[in-house]
Amino acid sequence: MSKKDIDWSNLTFAYQPTDYRYISNYKNGEWDEGTLSQDPNIVLNECAGVLQYSQSVFEGLKAYTTVDGRTVTFRPDLNAQRMFDSAKRLEIPPFPVDRFVEAVREVVKANEDWVPPYGTGATLYLRPYVFGSSPVIGVAPAEEYQFRIICTPVGPYFKGGVKPITIRVSDYDRAAPHGTGNIKAGLNYAMSLHPIMEAHRQGFSENIYLDPATRTKVEETGGANVLFVTKDGKLVTPKSDSILPSVTRRSLLYVAEHYLGMETEEREVLFEEVPDFVECGLCGTAAVISPIGCINDHGKEIKFPSGMEEIGPVMKKLRETLTGIQMGTIEPPEGWIYEIK
Ligand SMILES: *Cc1c(COP(=O)(O)O)cnc(C)c1O
């Protein structure tokens, strides 16, 4: 094994093809045995289901090197189960959970030279996805599908230290009640592109979405769940059927409770109680936690006491503990670290 000659610490979050991708095709009612391929291109019929009716779901997880030199991924079984659930909601034949985890192992093993070394802050980002590949013109699910895992090395999310961001309250909705907000469907991202670009044009990093039915409760941002800390040190996260069940959020709640001895609450969070919290953060695979310094509600600023200079003490501790578990410097809970052998 010899690692690729890459300036790992200066990589950005951009697609760079690696040597291998994993492919399995669904045809005649079953998934084939799957294979690794060196071809980064897909030849697709012009009427493929994904092109006409956006029938696609995806996942995101990372492979990286631990302090003692092991190549690992973090809780891939949860991504497998989530993709299974996402697929069912879009009438896509779900890819079996155990096969997903095995495909992750195979594709990371084949691309081991692309897994960034420990200490660079970089990771190998894995993007599993499934899409309808056979022609569809009347609105219906496709008959054939492709499951694919591509890999791309990405740099550290925060270069030069974790910095708080400012987000705005969005006038757009991310998810309808009883819609697809709780699954990882490509279509959820298509409709978020306009709100995020508009937010950027106005100088904000992200949108925070309220519940579409009443616009009184906090949901999440375009691609990350939200965490709050109360004055008495409790970790609170919004509960709603239209929030995407983040692996990072579920892991952080466990860490808060079992490693840091904190009380945690998953409950409805009214937007009007947000000024009472002392810290706020976004969580997801890419950043683990991004601290929020300020939420802009149509010109009215909610500034958290942790400020715009550095991450608050509780978010900092949570972030350090979870990254320590991931990197092998802190003992992980049973089954969290999946070693690639
Ligand atoms: C992927 C995603 C997240 C983060 O989930 P993780 O499993 O923690 O990476 C949060 N919200 C949305 C809308 C997402 O698509």
Side-chain angles (χ1 to χ4, degrees):
M1 180 180 92
S2 69
K3 293 287 178 192
K4 299 284 171 183
D5 183 18
I6 291 175
D7 183 5
W8 304 103
S9 308
N10 286 312
L11 282 169
T12 57
F13 200 91
Y15 167 70
Q16 171 172 6
T18 63
D19 297 331
Y20 294 97
R21 62 278 304 127
Y22 181 93
I23 302 170
S24 176
N25 290 303
Y26 183 90
K27 200 174 171 168
N28 300 326
E30 60 182 12
W31 289 104
D32 70 14
E33 65 197 11
T35 186
L36 293 169
S37 164
Q38 298 220 61
D39 186 356
N41 294 305
I42 297 172
V43 176
L44 208 54
N45 183 276
E46 62 190 356
C47 207
V50 64
L51 300 178
Q52 303 310 326
Y53 303 121
S54 299
Q55 210 188 0
S56 76
V57 294
F58 69 100
E59 273 301 325
L61 68 162
K62 301 188 287 198
Y64 50 92
T65 310
T66 58
V67 66
D68 53 350
R70 290 172 299 141
T71 300
V72 303
T73 59
F74 183 72
R75 310 188 78 181
D77 51 317
L78 297 192
N79 297 96
Q81 184 61 51
R82 192 168 65 187
M83 178 172 259
F84 193 95
D85 298 339
S86 297
K88 283 196 297 193
R89 178 66 175 79
L90 294 194
E91 290 292 332
I92 293 174
F95 195 71
V97 167
D98 54 339
R99 285 203 54 197
F100 178 112
V101 175
E102 173 58 17
V104 164
R105 189 193 67 74
E106 279 182 41
V107 79
V108 175
K109 189 77 202 157
N111 289 298
E112 202 151 14
D113 294 348
W114 293 91
V115 180
Y118 177 78
T120 58
T123 57
L124 185 68
Y125 184 75
L126 311 183
R127 168 54 57 86
Y129 56 107
V130 187
F131 58 92
S133 54
S134 59
V136 173
I137 195 73
V139 177
E143 290 184 346
E144 296 174 12
Y145 296 83
Q146 183 167 106
F147 168 82
R148 200 172 179 103
I149 306 179
I150 60 173
C151 309
T152 194
V154 298
Y157 191 87
F158 295 102
K159 291 198 175 80
V162 180
K163 266 285 191 205
I165 55 173
T166 297
I167 62 179
R168 70 163 188 181
V169 177
S170 176
D171 285 330
Y172 298 97
D173 293 323
R174 192 193 81 85
H178 319 295
T180 56
N182 61 339
I183 65 163
K184 232 171 157 68
L187 55 90
N188 290 345
Y189 277 75
M191 66 83 224
S192 76
L193 296 176
H194 180 61
I196 188 75
M197 293 310 288
E198 199 179 89
H200 289 169
R201 286 189 283 267
Q202 293 175 6
F204 302 109
S205 302
E206 252 291 5
N207 289 295
I208 188 161
Y209 293 97
L210 303 182
D211 75 294
T214 70
R215 292 193 162 261
T216 57
K217 291 172 276 189
V218 177
E219 293 254 298
E220 61 171 321
T221 67
N225 284 182
V226 183
L227 302 168
F228 296 103
V229 179
T230 64
K231 288 193 180 83
D232 53 359
K234 206 182 281 175
L235 186 67
V236 176
T237 188
K239 187 182 175 77
S240 149
D241 290 341
S242 44
I243 288 177
L244 195 282
S246 156
V247 172
T248 315
R249 185 249 301 161
R250 287 179 275 165
S251 303
L252 284 166
L253 282 167
Y254 184 93
V255 163
E257 211 172 307
H258 295 91
Y259 283 69
L260 304 179
M262 292 173 66
E263 262 185 76
T264 62
E265 256 178 16
E266 196 174 337
R267 62 165 170 86
E268 289 190 340
V269 175
L270 293 175
F271 185 67
E272 65 181 25
E273 56 176 311
V274 169
D276 296 335
F277 294 115
V278 294
E279 290 184 46
C280 177
L282 304 183
C283 64
T285 294
V288 182
I289 294 179
S290 278
I292 306 295
C294 177
I295 298 179
N296 190 303
D297 174 22
H298 303 86
K300 211 174 81 208
E301 290 188 324
I302 300 171
K303 293 182 170 159
F304 294 99
S306 49
M308 290 305 297
E309 285 311 310
E310 54 190 338
I311 184 169
V314 177
M315 293 294 165
K316 182 161 193 261
K317 193 79 200 143
L318 279 166
R319 193 170 190 282
E320 283 173 357
T321 309
L322 186 58
T323 50
I325 287 170
Q326 291 177 330
M327 291 300 166
T329 58
I330 296 173
E331 188 66 28
E334 180 79 35
W336 278 25
I337 304 298
Y338 180 80
E339 193 169 341
I340 307 295
K341 288 194 253 207

